[in-house]
Amino acid sequence: MKLAEQQTLKRALRGDPESLDPHLAIGTPEDHVTRELFEGLVTQDLQGNIIPGQAESWETSRDGTVWTFTLRKGLRWSNGKPLTAEDFEYSFKRLANPETASPYAWYLAAMGVKNADEITKGKKPVSTLGVKAGPGNTLTLELNRPAPYLLAMLTHRSMNPVPRAAIEAHGRDWVASGKIVNNGPFNLVKRIIREQIVLNQNSNYWNHKNTVLTEITFLPIESETAALNRYRAGELDMVSSVPTTHYKKLINEMPEQLKTSSSLATYYLTFNTREKPFNDVRVRKALSYVLHREKITDNILGQGQKTAYTFTPETVTGFTAPEPDYKKMSPQERQASASKLLKEAGYSKDNPLTFTYIYNATDSNKHIAVAIQEMWQKQLPVKVELENLEWSTYLQRKLDGQYQVARALWGGDYDDAITMLDVHTPEHGNNSSFYNSKRYNQLLDQARQTLDREERNRIYAEAELVLASDMPIAPIYWNSLNYLIKPDLRGISYDNPEGRIYSRDIYKVAQ
């Protein structure tokens, strides 16, 4: 095998990242870029297995509540300054600090780190967080309870170290080109908002000698069709979302470049339960019941997506989704039940339910929105206005509760159902439905304290039924991953269920 002379990569992003700060980033576009700039204690190989990252080894106490990580010797930030265990301690405490206002502040509590929950709620000082640097180049995490999925959780971007000196010098502007300090395999060279993000090799990365790509260019392109056209024209090496209208043609046209696999992600509708009339479960159920999910997965998409009546995909090891009552109904029974529920809630032809549905502007989201609008208006006394938004505006509206019904997609961060179900708890920064169920929360707390995976999955299934009964969200389908990858690219983990691709592993071969 001979390497190509030019080792550059051009990728499409479905939207421009709102932030490159690992503690403030929210969505998938942010994830793709920050993964190249930063690295945590552990990372993943091409198959998604946990491997050492900034830490070279780790050990746990007998009861599983204390984890000690030994960092690699000679770690450095991109500016050449030493990276130490103290940097990780600072970073974890910054994440938990309410002043940071991180949408992932809840993550440390979900991991079970001592005092994390009380700190994020302002009940205890940040200094009490169960994270401590030393002795030597070690980092110790003290937990309230055993966390069998802790290593997998540590692969998330919020667990990356951030540079104290740069943050104190520049505030939230520290991630701008020319100011950013990072520790991953690549550095930020240039960023033009909504146009391009350019990275090059970080010579201070611990495994720099095995990084082959010299440059990565991310192009924010919200239109999947526009991205496909640029791929065909040779302007992109990889596209991570394929237009539904072209998928079947691409299977015949370039089967060796089209890659499809299962995903740990769910496409769903979220209802703003803080606002009338969506604080009424009858309204939420009526809108969910009349959705013809099979029409969306089979007729509109047809890319390997599976209809979902519960939230957690079956890609989670050992998890089998339960069947809620409404799934067992025939379409006619669901229609009748929905009409009755909406009538009981006070809506009729003379007094239709009127609301706005928001979504971020991609081709597939638009097709789905139009189809859902037609389903609702055809079967119920409903008037729906569709509003498509630019990525960052859509995110902010959803998180601020400035919406009625919204399209949403949640991708799990590790192989355990709680990575999905946690999103509907009050502490979660992405709980855009603002759902808060005592029973649901109790079940997840019980699962967190259960070491046996089979028993945990049983508890998760019960929690799914509670969620389906309360219907703060309407699951539509379990997503699939669809890529177009040029034939000269190697080292791409396109079948990672979390959708993570690490460019440090990618190289081009001569054609």
Side-chain angles (χ1 to χ4, degrees), residues 96-315:
N97 194 332
E99 293 181 4
T100 304
S102 170
Y104 270 86
W106 59 271
Y107 200 74
L108 290 167
M111 192 182 291
V113 177
K114 185 178 179 180
N115 295 330
D117 188 47
E118 293 87 347
I119 293 168
T120 57
K121 293 176 180 176
K123 296 179 180 180
K124 285 188 177 182
V126 177
S127 60
T128 64
L129 186 68
V131 180
K132 185 177 181 181
N137 208 23
T138 62
L139 183 79
T140 300
L141 301 184
E142 187 176 354
L143 311 181
N144 296 318
R145 60 180 183 274
Y149 37 79
L150 182 136
L151 289 176
M153 292 188 75
L154 287 173
T155 63
H156 190 261
R157 63 171 174 266
S158 63
M159 298 288 96
N160 291 330
V162 293
R164 183 171 191 164
I167 293 169
E168 291 178 347
H170 305 294
R172 297 210 169 192
D173 197 34
W174 73 273
V175 288
S177 56
K179 298 177 182 177
I180 188 170
V181 177
N182 49 283
N183 74 319
F186 296 92
N187 292 328
L188 178 64
V189 177
K190 178 173 63 174
R191 181 180 185 187
I192 302 175
I193 301 298
R194 297 187 181 89
E195 286 190 25
Q196 63 175 350
I197 298 170
V198 181
L199 315 180
N200 66 8
Q201 282 190 8
N202 176 11
S203 60
N204 285 306
Y205 177 59
W206 69 269
N207 200 24
H208 168 66
K209 66 179 182 179
N210 289 319
T211 304
V212 179
L213 290 180
T214 59
E215 184 178 275
I216 305 170
T217 301
F218 289 100
L219 301 176
I221 307 171
E222 292 193 347
S223 167
E224 294 154 325
T225 301
L228 174 61
N229 290 338
R230 296 185 72 168
Y231 180 86
R232 289 182 186 277
E235 297 175 23
L236 291 169
D237 298 300
M238 181 168 60
V239 174
S240 55
S241 182
V242 179
T244 56
T245 51
H246 293 75
Y247 184 78
K248 291 182 180 178
K249 184 179 179 182
L250 290 169
I251 292 176
N252 297 319
E253 192 176 304
M254 48 181 74
E256 76 287 351
Q257 298 178 51
L258 182 62
K259 310 293 183 182
T260 299
S261 60
S262 297
S263 167
L264 182 59
T266 300
Y267 193 106
Y268 63 105
L269 307 185
T270 178
F271 302 111
N272 187 347
T273 63
R274 284 182 178 174
E275 302 291 335
K276 291 182 179 180
F278 300 102
N279 60 342
D280 188 333
V281 67
R282 295 172 299 184
V283 172
R284 303 194 299 266
K285 284 186 172 181
L287 293 175
S288 177
Y289 284 7
V290 298
L291 295 173
H292 291 293
R293 291 160 172 82
E294 290 77 10
K295 288 185 178 180
I296 294 173
T297 56
D298 300 345
N299 300 345
I300 297 176
L301 299 173
Q303 299 172 307
Q305 297 88 350
K306 296 182 179 179
T307 56
Y309 293 84
T310 49
F311 194 65
T312 304
E314 290 185 331
T315 46

Side-chain angles (χ1 to χ4, degrees), residues 39-53:
E39 183 176 84
L41 295 167
V42 298
T43 182
Q44 292 176 300
D45 64 13
L46 289 175
Q47 290 73 44
N49 301 310
I50 305 298
I51 58 173

Side-chain angles (χ1 to χ4, degrees), residues 361-378:
T362 68
D363 298 340
S364 61
N365 286 341
K366 181 179 179 180
H367 293 317
I368 292 169
V370 170
I372 288 175
Q373 179 190 43
E374 182 181 352
M375 292 173 192
W376 281 335
Q377 294 186 161
K378 184 177 180 181

